[in-house]
Amino acid sequence: MFDSGAALAFVNTRRDRPSGRIESLGDPAAASAWLEHELGYQQARALEKAEHARLLALRDSAQRLLRARLAGSAPAPDDLLLLNQSSAAAPRSDQLGEDWRASLRFSGSGSANPRDLTELFAALASAIISLAADSSANLAECGADDCVVLFLRTDPRQRWHSQRCGNRMRAARSYAKHRSGGARG
Ligand SMILES: [Zn+2]
């Protein structure tokens, strides 16, 4: 099953930046490649058009839900319905291990790895539900200019989703400071 990192990576495949949208799942081939490289999910054939559309619908709903949570507003009923239905489509069960760790297993195979798209969507929906319901998760949007990536703060002061964004913003500030002559910082 997927963790919060995978859930956020999925949600961040679409980034509506002020300077333009970045879409990492633009067509069925790109989406198949992303699922394989980022989630380790391999399918014998490429996604069909309708399956690709379902994947994007789940991703967009998940992003709207997490953004609503971030904004402190209520989740949209349609987004909740899609997420909950996707999760309910593949029966799973909680299993307690000898190491006291809990894990989810798909019913039937006893496997934690999704075997088909219904299970894949269910596993993604589960990861998003866990993240959205986790009251201790410090969800944030990157504070850098032209970056809209959602991430989990590991430190309350953390403002950038990546070192690259932080470096970019520090360089821009120092440039602005020099240009103003540095007289008033
Ligand atoms: Zn960023």
Side-chain angles (χ1 to χ4, degrees), residues 118-136:
T118 300
E119 291 189 352
L120 175 75
F121 289 4
L124 282 168
S126 268
I128 292 151
I129 288 169
S130 297
L131 175 59
D134 180 359
S135 58
S136 67

mmCIF file of all heavy atoms in Angstrom, residues 118-136:
data_model
loop_
_atom_site.group_PDB
_atom_site.id
_atom_site.type_symbol
_atom_site.label_atom_id
_atom_site.label_comp_id
_atom_site.label_asym_id
_atom_site.label_seq_id
_atom_site.Cartn_x
_atom_site.Cartn_y
_atom_site.Cartn_z
ATOM 1 N N THR A 118 -8.387 -1.381 -10.457
ATOM 2 C CA THR A 118 -9.341 -1.173 -9.363
ATOM 3 C C THR A 118 -8.599 -1.171 -8.032
ATOM 4 O O THR A 118 -8.841 -0.328 -7.168
ATOM 5 C CB THR A 118 -10.413 -2.284 -9.381
ATOM 6 O OG1 THR A 118 -11.086 -2.218 -10.644
ATOM 7 C CG2 THR A 118 -11.422 -2.091 -8.272
ATOM 8 N N GLU A 119 -7.660 -2.102 -7.882
ATOM 9 C CA GLU A 119 -6.876 -2.157 -6.650
ATOM 10 C C GLU A 119 -5.901 -0.980 -6.567
ATOM 11 O O GLU A 119 -5.669 -0.435 -5.487
ATOM 12 C CB GLU A 119 -6.116 -3.488 -6.564
ATOM 13 C CG GLU A 119 -7.051 -4.672 -6.344
ATOM 14 C CD GLU A 119 -6.339 -5.972 -6.042
ATOM 15 O OE1 GLU A 119 -5.085 -6.018 -6.138
ATOM 16 O OE2 GLU A 119 -7.025 -6.954 -5.715
ATOM 17 N N LEU A 120 -5.350 -0.599 -7.700
ATOM 18 C CA LEU A 120 -4.434 0.553 -7.701
ATOM 19 C C LEU A 120 -5.162 1.825 -7.254
ATOM 20 O O LEU A 120 -4.676 2.572 -6.395
ATOM 21 C CB LEU A 120 -3.852 0.771 -9.106
ATOM 22 C CG LEU A 120 -2.982 2.021 -9.227
ATOM 23 C CD1 LEU A 120 -1.625 1.802 -8.574
ATOM 24 C CD2 LEU A 120 -2.805 2.423 -10.673
ATOM 25 N N PHE A 121 -6.345 2.059 -7.831
ATOM 26 C CA PHE A 121 -7.108 3.253 -7.461
ATOM 27 C C PHE A 121 -7.513 3.190 -5.986
ATOM 28 O O PHE A 121 -7.511 4.203 -5.296
ATOM 29 C CB PHE A 121 -8.356 3.387 -8.344
ATOM 30 C CG PHE A 121 -8.055 3.759 -9.773
ATOM 31 C CD1 PHE A 121 -6.751 3.880 -10.213
ATOM 32 C CD2 PHE A 121 -9.067 3.998 -10.680
ATOM 33 C CE1 PHE A 121 -6.456 4.228 -11.531
ATOM 34 C CE2 PHE A 121 -8.789 4.350 -11.998
ATOM 35 C CZ PHE A 121 -7.485 4.456 -12.428
ATOM 36 N N ALA A 122 -7.869 1.993 -5.528
ATOM 37 C CA ALA A 122 -8.257 1.830 -4.123
ATOM 38 C C ALA A 122 -7.069 2.129 -3.204
ATOM 39 O O ALA A 122 -7.215 2.782 -2.167
ATOM 40 C CB ALA A 122 -8.769 0.417 -3.876
ATOM 41 N N ALA A 123 -5.885 1.652 -3.606
ATOM 42 C CA ALA A 123 -4.694 1.885 -2.782
ATOM 43 C C ALA A 123 -4.343 3.373 -2.760
ATOM 44 O O ALA A 123 -3.973 3.918 -1.714
ATOM 45 C CB ALA A 123 -3.523 1.061 -3.322
ATOM 46 N N LEU A 124 -4.477 4.039 -3.902
ATOM 47 C CA LEU A 124 -4.221 5.485 -3.942
ATOM 48 C C LEU A 124 -5.240 6.226 -3.078
ATOM 49 O O LEU A 124 -4.884 7.125 -2.309
ATOM 50 C CB LEU A 124 -4.283 5.996 -5.388
ATOM 51 C CG LEU A 124 -3.049 5.723 -6.251
ATOM 52 C CD1 LEU A 124 -3.344 6.014 -7.718
ATOM 53 C CD2 LEU A 124 -1.854 6.555 -5.773
ATOM 54 N N ALA A 125 -6.517 5.835 -3.214
ATOM 55 C CA ALA A 125 -7.570 6.487 -2.432
ATOM 56 C C ALA A 125 -7.319 6.294 -0.940
ATOM 57 O O ALA A 125 -7.471 7.233 -0.150
ATOM 58 C CB ALA A 125 -8.942 5.943 -2.834
ATOM 59 N N SER A 126 -6.898 5.091 -0.539
ATOM 60 C CA SER A 126 -6.591 4.813 0.869
ATOM 61 C C SER A 126 -5.505 5.748 1.382
ATOM 62 O O SER A 126 -5.604 6.294 2.484
ATOM 63 C CB SER A 126 -6.076 3.378 1.035
ATOM 64 O OG SER A 126 -7.118 2.508 1.309
ATOM 65 N N ALA A 127 -4.449 5.903 0.585
ATOM 66 C CA ALA A 127 -3.325 6.745 1.001
ATOM 67 C C ALA A 127 -3.773 8.200 1.141
ATOM 68 O O ALA A 127 -3.354 8.906 2.066
ATOM 69 C CB ALA A 127 -2.186 6.630 -0.005
ATOM 70 N N ILE A 128 -4.641 8.641 0.239
ATOM 71 C CA ILE A 128 -5.118 10.031 0.299
ATOM 72 C C ILE A 128 -6.044 10.225 1.504
ATOM 73 O O ILE A 128 -5.974 11.232 2.209
ATOM 74 C CB ILE A 128 -5.813 10.407 -1.022
ATOM 75 C CG1 ILE A 128 -4.767 10.461 -2.140
ATOM 76 C CG2 ILE A 128 -6.518 11.753 -0.912
ATOM 77 C CD1 ILE A 128 -5.319 10.144 -3.503
ATOM 78 N N ILE A 129 -6.902 9.227 1.751
ATOM 79 C CA ILE A 129 -7.806 9.305 2.907
ATOM 80 C C ILE A 129 -6.996 9.361 4.210
ATOM 81 O O ILE A 129 -7.267 10.189 5.087
ATOM 82 C CB ILE A 129 -8.781 8.103 2.911
ATOM 83 C CG1 ILE A 129 -9.809 8.261 1.784
ATOM 84 C CG2 ILE A 129 -9.483 7.963 4.267
ATOM 85 C CD1 ILE A 129 -10.652 7.026 1.511
ATOM 86 N N SER A 130 -5.979 8.504 4.323
ATOM 87 C CA SER A 130 -5.147 8.504 5.535
ATOM 88 C C SER A 130 -4.501 9.860 5.743
ATOM 89 O O SER A 130 -4.461 10.385 6.850
ATOM 90 C CB SER A 130 -4.037 7.455 5.430
ATOM 91 O OG SER A 130 -4.574 6.183 5.347
ATOM 92 N N LEU A 131 -3.995 10.429 4.660
ATOM 93 C CA LEU A 131 -3.326 11.726 4.747
ATOM 94 C C LEU A 131 -4.316 12.828 5.128
ATOM 95 O O LEU A 131 -4.062 13.631 6.029
ATOM 96 C CB LEU A 131 -2.652 12.043 3.403
ATOM 97 C CG LEU A 131 -2.002 13.404 3.247
ATOM 98 C CD1 LEU A 131 -0.916 13.613 4.296
ATOM 99 C CD2 LEU A 131 -1.403 13.546 1.847
ATOM 100 N N ALA A 132 -5.472 12.840 4.456
ATOM 101 C CA ALA A 132 -6.461 13.894 4.710
ATOM 102 C C ALA A 132 -7.021 13.797 6.130
ATOM 103 O O ALA A 132 -7.369 14.804 6.743
ATOM 104 C CB ALA A 132 -7.585 13.806 3.679
ATOM 105 N N ALA A 133 -7.108 12.558 6.656
ATOM 106 C CA ALA A 133 -7.715 12.359 7.980
ATOM 107 C C ALA A 133 -6.707 12.486 9.113
ATOM 108 O O ALA A 133 -7.094 12.482 10.275
ATOM 109 C CB ALA A 133 -8.376 10.978 8.029
ATOM 110 N N ASP A 134 -5.435 12.586 8.790
ATOM 111 C CA ASP A 134 -4.393 12.638 9.816
ATOM 112 C C ASP A 134 -4.289 14.061 10.378
ATOM 113 O O ASP A 134 -3.725 14.952 9.749
ATOM 114 C CB ASP A 134 -3.055 12.203 9.202
ATOM 115 C CG ASP A 134 -1.920 12.227 10.216
ATOM 116 O OD1 ASP A 134 -2.168 12.591 11.382
ATOM 117 O OD2 ASP A 134 -0.790 11.886 9.828
ATOM 118 N N SER A 135 -4.826 14.254 11.585
ATOM 119 C CA SER A 135 -4.870 15.611 12.143
ATOM 120 C C SER A 135 -3.474 16.120 12.502
ATOM 121 O O SER A 135 -3.271 17.312 12.671
ATOM 122 C CB SER A 135 -5.779 15.645 13.370
ATOM 123 O OG SER A 135 -5.311 14.715 14.323
ATOM 124 N N SER A 136 -2.505 15.217 12.615
ATOM 125 C CA SER A 136 -1.155 15.663 12.969
ATOM 126 C C SER A 136 -0.327 15.991 11.727
ATOM 127 O O SER A 136 0.778 16.512 11.827
ATOM 128 C CB SER A 136 -0.449 14.598 13.799
ATOM 129 O OG SER A 136 -0.209 13.466 13.000
#
